[in-house]
């Protein structure tokens, strides 16, 4: 398959769900991936794409005490990242630091910077301050939202504020608005909620059910992309939350992950449980695009938003990450622990 | 001889010269030299040369001739001499008389002056006398003139005093024209002195005039009078300075009123025609038609009269008749909101056209032909489009009958709806075409001229109809939000959830449109509605069957996908509830097959029953192995158990490796294949998607041993019924295995249930369901 041949592969030992772009590493294109194995010793892999882009090199292999359900690299320190982990019965979240001397050690232990230990229910994700050096973190569990202040020198994190999402809502994930650092979008069963971090109050919501992943468009204000189980991908304008401004069909089965390209407008990546990664081009800027929701016909008559479908996966794809250093490169992670790094350059030049 | 000649010649010449110098206009010619003549004829010319003449004569003539000439000449000379003498004498005579006259004049003129002066004196005296007479008569004359004026005035006064009586007489005699002439004659006087001297008189005559006006008005308005008299009355009224415009307006209103009656009638007739056709009451029909004809004739007559009465009223009348036509069509358009058969429409058109022709005779200036064309164009166009919108409503009405039923779809309901939809679509469009063909074939002038346009409209109508149908379907399926104008339609829909059955019906209906309806309609159109070749290439046929087919093909696929989506969504909800509610890490030991499988199977059953009604059965392509279903399942069962047990004993890492290896060697099962329009394909796809969702849900949980065993049990139970339902057994097996593998991955202690326990529990469940089925079935059978 053409798509398969262009990708660079790398195998994790175990099943895995999460991969993150190391944003703070400005010299290399590197990714962090964490495994999800219930009964084995889990690992965090630091993977670097070689300079010529033909090989994925394991830069570091660190053992992690529990299976990893969420992993986010710190945007300002390439050695720091957060994980959300599970021991099977209980959940935990922590900030980790890659040890200084990891080059010498065989399988070095990670240094734990702080334990985000105020949670009582199932933790879903931890979010870093979207850009720049800031010690704020947000963690989301099923019922609550926590704002943390991280003090890396004291190796501790304090809860700054906390708010319950309400008894009827089980939160499942979230994203930090890169355009408005006081705003957080959190997903729950039947809606996407928007929280103001200053007052810790819910400001608005979009009624959309079973959102798996949300992502803000980093280039364009007010644009939010959601991936839902059955109904595919929706692009929302936060000023008009009644109806999405664009719908993309998504995947044959569920659409699990979605990621907006940090550089190119309207370039969206989605991973699904049909073992495929789809690359979409759905610009939202022009007027006619927005008005075209009047008829499905006019949409289908337009250029197919699907640019390419990468189908050379063995299992469902849960992890997706664009490289912020080389924004035409993305890494995808399927459940069988296979990392594939692809370049979308051929499709960019075509458009 | 020469001697004789010479004196004569000399004398004559002198004489001639003298005379010619006296009389001749050109003395120079007379006094000119004598050029030499060369012929004998020149004897009478000025240039006569006697010697030459003589020579010539001698040379040419013989003796006898000469002699004869001589005689002749002598005679001539003698004659000439006498003539000359006579002339001289007369001349002299005249001279003498002239001298006498001069002498007399001289003597007469002497006393003249004195006489003249005398005459002047006399004239002067005559003039002074006449002045005197004039002066003496002047006073008298003035007096006479004054008297004369007074007399005239008196006569006028007399006339005015007589006027009322006279008018009265005229009224009696109905000689209104005279009366008006008298009155208008007296008018200036009344104007000048009406306030003072002739008050009574004026009043009386005015009264008379009022009567006259009244009578005249009556005449004007009475339809029984002849047009001539009415026109005269109008003219007289105008002369009387009566506000004719008011009358005009009133008469006009009357016209309009009669018009109003006419308009209302037209559809009564049409309706009556309609009804009477049904009831065979030809009398009634005839009666209405006659009534209409009569009223139209009446209108025409009054228009004619009006024109004569008010000759400058054409523009108004034109407007009025245009109004009539416009209103006719307006009413027609109103009626078109209801369903109107083509025959009725045609009849109405014909009535209108007849009216137009009639009015046209009276009012050729109105160019009602053209106007009627213009208006009727839009009316017919609207008629065509209204017919299409009725058809659209019919089809969607048939669809709307599919009410969302909760779980239990009423048997056959979908099938009925589908058939109704198909029927109303095909039959409706055929009827439409039939009707339009009637329009085309009718030989009414109006329609003949519009034939080309109607053809275009019908084609465009179909194009738009199908586009609208597509949109309507999308609307019905809830794929697009309704626009405000369709609110009434969608109101019922939005409150309730759109039934999945409806979507399935729509999908199948789209296939029907694409495969059956469009080819037939295309055929029909090609047969009777193809535009003539007169129009150039730039006017391509407006109906593009290929385009419509494409639209409906994609729509049918979309609807099928939507159906599958809706169904899988329900299954998804079911599974989500199943997997998110319990605490899997503290799951209790499995005692029975969990009830969610029943719900799952129920859903599939519902799908099955819907699909059975709508979709056709595909070619059954079960990928069965040689042995029959049950043995395969048990065989694979033991194999899997074996695998699981091993994986339990060994480290999980190797187990994972093993599954990976197994996957490598197994042919990658194509889970998500293209959906076809067959029962099996749809059901299989839904099962596949459901199982995949099941797998994903399992992967999100962390299980204890009992939880794993529960899932193992449930899946094991599902295996048989699912494979019966689906056509692709390999894929189903693969997916079921995947669920178990996924569960074991997510299990802290993946120890499977012992096969005997598994079998026992499954048997218990099967028995239970059988019992249930029979208990459900038995009361219905009784």
């Amino acid at each position: 398959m053409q798509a398969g041949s262009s990708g660079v592969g790398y195998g994790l030992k175990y099943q895995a769900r999460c991969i993150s772009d190391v944003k703070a590493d400005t010299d290399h294109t590197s990714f962090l991936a964490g495994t999800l194995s219930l009964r084995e010793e889990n690992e965090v892999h630091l993977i670097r794409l070689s300079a010529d882009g033909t090989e994925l090199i394991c830069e570091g292999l660190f053992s992690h005490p529990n299976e990893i359900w969420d992993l986010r690299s710190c945007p300002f320190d390439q050695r720091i990242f957060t994980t959300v982990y599970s021991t099977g019965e209980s959940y935990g979240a922590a900030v980790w630091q890659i040890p200084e001397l990891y080059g010498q050690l065989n399988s070095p232990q990670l240094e734990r910077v702080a334990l985000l230990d105020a949670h009582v229910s199932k933790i879903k994700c931890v979010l870093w301050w979207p850009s720049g050096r800031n010690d704020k973190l947000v963690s989301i569990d099923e019922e609550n939202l926590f704002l943390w202040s991280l003090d890396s020198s004291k190796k501790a994190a304090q809860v700054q504020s906390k708010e319950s999402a309400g008894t009827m809502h089980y939160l499942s994930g979230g994203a930090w608005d890169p355009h408005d650092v006081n705003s957080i979008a959190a997903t729950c069963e039947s809606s996407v909620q928007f929280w103001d971090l200053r007052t810790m109050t819910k400001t608005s919501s979009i009624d959309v059910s079973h959102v798996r992943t949300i992502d803000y468009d980093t280039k364009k204000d007010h644009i939010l992309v959601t991936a839902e189980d059955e109904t595919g991908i929706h692009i929302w304008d936060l000023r008009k939350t009644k109806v999405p401004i664009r719908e993309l069909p998504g995947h044959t089965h569920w659409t699990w992950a979605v990621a907006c390209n940090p550089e190119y407008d309207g370039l969206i990546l989605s991973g699904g449980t049909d073992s495929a990664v789809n690359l979409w081009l759905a610009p939202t800027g022009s007027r006619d695009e927005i008005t075209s929701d009047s008829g499905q016909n006019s949409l289908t008559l337009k250029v197919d938003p699907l640019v390419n479908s990468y189908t050379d996966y063995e299992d469902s794809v849960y992890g997706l990450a664009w490289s912020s250093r080389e924004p035409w490169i993305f890494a995808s992670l399927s459940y069988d622990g296979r990392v594939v790094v692809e370049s979308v350059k051929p499709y960019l030049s075509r458009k | 001889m020469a001697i004789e000649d010479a004196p004569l010649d000399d004398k004559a010449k002198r004489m001639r010269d003298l005379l010619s110098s006296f009389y001749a206009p050109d003395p120079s010619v007379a006094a000119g030299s004598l050029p030499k003549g060369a012929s004998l004829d020149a004897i009478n010319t000025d240039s006569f040369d006697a010697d030459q003449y003589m020579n010539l004569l001698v040379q040419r003539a013989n003796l006898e001739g000469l002699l004869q000439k001589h005689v002749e000449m002598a005679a001539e000379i003698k004659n000439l001499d006498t003539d000359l003498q006579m002339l001289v004498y007369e001349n002299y005579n005249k001279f003498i008389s002239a001298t006498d006259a001069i002498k007399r004049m001289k003597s007469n003129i002497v006393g003249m002056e004195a006489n003249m002066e005398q005459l002047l004196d006399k004239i002067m005296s005559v003039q002074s006398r006449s002045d005197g007479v004039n002066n003496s008569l002047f006073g008298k004359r003035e007096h006479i003139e004054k008297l004369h004026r007074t007399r005239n005035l008196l006569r006028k006064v007399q006339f005015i005093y007589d006027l009322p009586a006279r008018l009265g007489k005229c009224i009696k005699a109905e000689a209104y024209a005279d009366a008006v002439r008298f009155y208008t004659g007296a008018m200036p006087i009344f104007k000048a002195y009406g306030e003072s001297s002739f008050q009574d008189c004026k009043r009386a005559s005015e009264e008379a005039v009022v009567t006259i006006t009244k009578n005249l008005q009556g005449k004007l308005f009475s339809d029984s009078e002849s047009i001539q008299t009415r026109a005269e009355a109008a003219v007289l009224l105008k002369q009387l300075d009566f506000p004719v415009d008011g009358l005009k307006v009133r008469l006009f209103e009357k016209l309009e009123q009669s018009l109003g009656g006419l308009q209302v009638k037209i559809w009564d007739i049409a309706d009556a025609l309609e009804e009477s056709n049904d009831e065979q009451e030809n009398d009634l029909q005839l009666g209405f038609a006659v009534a209409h004809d009569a009223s139209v004739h009446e209108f025409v007559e009054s228009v004619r009269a009006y024109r004569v009465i008010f000759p400058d009223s054409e523009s108004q009348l034109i407007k009025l008749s245009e109004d009539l036509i416009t209103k006719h069509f307006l009413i027609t358009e109103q009626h078109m909101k209801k369903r109107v058969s083509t025959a009725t429409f045609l009849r109405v058109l014909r009535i209108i056209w007849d009216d137009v022709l009639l009015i046209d005779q009276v009012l050729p200036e109105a160019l009602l032909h053209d106007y009627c064309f213009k208006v009727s164009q839009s009316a017919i166009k609207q008629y065509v489009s209204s017919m299409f919108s009725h058809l659209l409503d019919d089809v969607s009405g048939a669809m709307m009958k599919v009410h969302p039923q909760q779980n239990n779809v009423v048997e056959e309901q979908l099938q009925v709806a589908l058939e109704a939809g198909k029927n109303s679509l095909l039959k409706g469009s055929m009827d439409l075409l039939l009707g339009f063909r009637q329009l085309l074939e009718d030989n009414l002038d109006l329609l003949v001229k519009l034939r080309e346009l109607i053809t275009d409209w019908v084609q465009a109508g179909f194009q738009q109809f199908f586009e609208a149908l597509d949109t309507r379907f999308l609307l019905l399926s809830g794929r697009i939000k309704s626009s405000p104008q369709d609110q009434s339609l969608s109101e019922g829909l939005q409150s309730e959830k759109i039934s999945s059955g409806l979507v399935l019906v729509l999908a199948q209906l789209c296939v029907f449109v694409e495969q059956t309806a469009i080819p037939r309609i295309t055929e029909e159109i090609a047969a009777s509605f193809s535009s003539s070749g007169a129009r150039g290439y730039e006017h391509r046929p407006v109906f593009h069957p290929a385009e419509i087919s494409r639209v409906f093909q994609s729509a049918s696929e979309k609807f099928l996908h939507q159906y599958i989506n809706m169904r899988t969504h329900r299954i998804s909800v079911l599974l989500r509830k199943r997997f998110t509610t319990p605490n899997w890490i503290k799951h209790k030991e499995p005692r029975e097959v969990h009830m969610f499988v029943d719900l799952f199977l129920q859903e599939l059953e519902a799908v099955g029953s819907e699909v059975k009604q709508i979709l056709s059965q595909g070619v059954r392509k079960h990928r069965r192995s040689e042995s029959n279903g049950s043995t395969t399942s048990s065989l694979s069962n033991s194999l899997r158990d074996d695998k699981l047990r091993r994986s339990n004993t060994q480290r999980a890492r190797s187990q994972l490796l093993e599954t990976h290896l197994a996957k490598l060697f197994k042919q990658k099962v194509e889970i998500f294949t293209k959906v076809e329009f067959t029962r099996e394909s749809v059901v299989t796809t839904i099962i596949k998607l459901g199982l995949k969702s099941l797998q994903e849900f399992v992967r999100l949980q962390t299980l204890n041993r009992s939880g794993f065993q529960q899932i193992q049990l449930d899946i094991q139970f599902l295996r048989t019924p699912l494979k019966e339902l689906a056509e692709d057994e390999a894929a189903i097996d693969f997916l079921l295995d995947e669920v178990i593998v996924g569960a074991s991955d997510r299990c802290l202690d993946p120890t499977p249930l012992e096969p005997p326990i598994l079998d026992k529990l499954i048997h218990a469940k099967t028995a239970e369901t059988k019992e249930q089925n029979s208990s459900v079935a038995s009361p219905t059978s009784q």
Side-chain angles (χ1 to χ4, degrees), chain B residues 616-623 676-681 684 727-728:
Chain B
S616 59
Q617 192 162 23
V619 186
R620 187 107 178 149
K621 40 182 179 180
H622 258 268
R623 289 169 207 162
E676 290 159 27
F677 272 86
T678 60
R679 294 172 195 173
E680 291 79 17
S681 173
T684 309
E727 63 171 356
D728 187 356

Side-chain angles (χ1 to χ4, degrees), chain B residues 68-317:
Chain B
Q68 200 180 337
K69 192 82 186 172
H70 169 73
V71 175
E72 267 174 28
M73 228 171 234
E76 269 179 21
I77 290 166
K78 213 177 253 177
N79 273 346
L80 279 173
D81 271 346
T82 31
D83 282 353
L84 191 67
Q85 267 171 356
M86 220 165 76
L87 276 173
V88 169
Y89 176 76
E90 269 175 19
N91 233 3
Y92 190 69
N93 221 8
K94 274 175 191 162
F95 183 69
I96 288 167
S97 65
T99 322
D100 283 352
I102 289 164
K103 265 183 195 157
R104 250 196 329 247
M105 269 166 69
K106 255 189 191 152
S107 63
N108 281 354
I109 212 148
V110 177
M112 197 77 131
E113 194 120 333
N115 285 347
M116 273 306 202
E117 273 169 14
Q118 213 179 342
L119 185 66
L120 190 67
D121 285 348
K122 281 195 178 141
I123 286 170
M124 292 289 260
S125 78
V126 166
Q127 195 178 354
S128 66
R129 294 269 163 77
S130 122
D131 279 355
V133 170
N134 221 1
N135 279 342
S136 63
L137 281 178
F138 182 71
K140 291 246 175 83
R141 198 169 57 219
E142 231 168 39
H143 187 66
I144 288 165
E145 273 172 8
K146 208 169 159 188
L147 281 174
H148 185 71
R149 274 205 300 275
T150 317
R151 185 172 165 273
N152 271 348
L153 205 62
L154 278 171
R155 201 184 283 162
K156 274 184 196 167
V157 170
Q158 179 66 41
F159 173 74
I160 284 163
Y161 276 116
D162 287 350
L163 189 59
R166 226 184 267 209
L167 289 178
K169 259 186 219 161
C170 287
I171 289 168
K172 259 180 212 155
E174 294 200 338
Y176 296 112
D178 292 341
V180 170
R181 209 180 59 234
F182 293 146
Y183 182 70
T184 41
M187 222 34 212
I189 296 166
F190 281 139
K191 249 180 208 153
Y193 307 104
E195 298 306 317
S196 48
S197 344
F198 302 115
Q199 237 167 359
D200 296 338
C201 206
K202 188 189 175 194
R203 204 178 306 128
S205 48
E206 267 173 359
E207 272 163 19
V209 166
V210 165
T211 343
I212 290 171
T213 357
K214 245 183 228 157
N215 289 354
L216 283 178
Q217 280 188 47
K219 244 186 190 179
L220 191 56
F221 284 113
S222 77
D223 296 333
S224 55
E225 293 289 338
S226 75
I227 296 164
Q228 201 63 39
T229 31
R230 289 171 69 183
E232 274 165 16
V235 170
L236 291 178
L237 280 173
K238 211 182 268 174
Q239 279 177 7
L240 280 178
D241 273 350
F242 192 79
V244 190
D245 286 344
L247 287 177
K248 204 168 165 180
V249 168
R250 269 173 56 195
L251 203 62
F252 199 68
E253 272 167 9
K254 218 171 129 193
L255 265 181
E256 276 179 341
Q257 264 173 18
S258 68
L259 211 60
L262 210 62
Q263 286 153 14
V264 176
K265 275 171 197 158
I266 182 167
W267 271 90
D268 288 347
I269 296 164
D271 289 347
L273 287 176
E274 183 91 322
E275 282 166 26
S276 57
N277 272 357
D278 299 341
E279 297 166 23
Q280 305 294 322
E281 285 180 29
N282 285 322
D283 290 349
L284 183 69
Q285 172 185 348
L286 217 64
F288 266 108
V290 165
H292 176 77
D293 276 358
S295 51
V296 170
H297 276 295
E298 194 183 306
F299 174 71
V300 166
E301 276 311 307
S302 43
V303 165
R304 184 176 299 158
Y306 191 81
R307 269 199 77 190
V308 176
I309 296 166
F310 303 108
D312 52 348
S313 56
E314 272 141 30
S315 63
Q316 257 179 314
L317 284 173

Side-chain angles (χ1 to χ4, degrees), chain B residues 725-751:
Chain B
L725 285 170
E727 63 171 356
D728 187 356
E729 284 190 11
I732 302 297
D733 257 337
F734 171 75
L735 280 167
L736 288 168
D737 288 347
E738 279 287 293
V739 175
I740 294 183
V741 170
S744 80
D745 280 348
R746 294 305 308 158
C747 181
L748 292 164
D749 177 18
T751 315

Side-chain angles (χ1 to χ4, degrees), chain A residues 251-266:
Chain A
H251 289 257
T252 324
H253 195 234
W254 296 353
T255 311
W256 194 282
V258 71
C260 293
N261 190 284
E263 264 325 301
Y264 303 105
D265 183 32

Side-chain angles (χ1 to χ4, degrees), chain A residues 15 39 230 273 315-316 318, chain B residues 572 692 696 699 745 747:
Chain A
Q15 291 168 338
R39 301 183 292 268
E230 269 116 1
T273 51
D315 211 329
S316 307
Y318 300 125
Chain B
S572 233
K692 183 70 188 166
E696 292 298 334
R699 279 183 181 179
D745 280 348
C747 181

Side-chain angles (χ1 to χ4, degrees), chain B residues 506-520:
Chain B
L506 287 177
Q508 189 60 27
L509 199 59
C510 283
V511 173
F512 173 76
V513 167
E514 181 215 338
Q515 292 177 350
T516 316
I518 290 180
R520 276 207 56 191

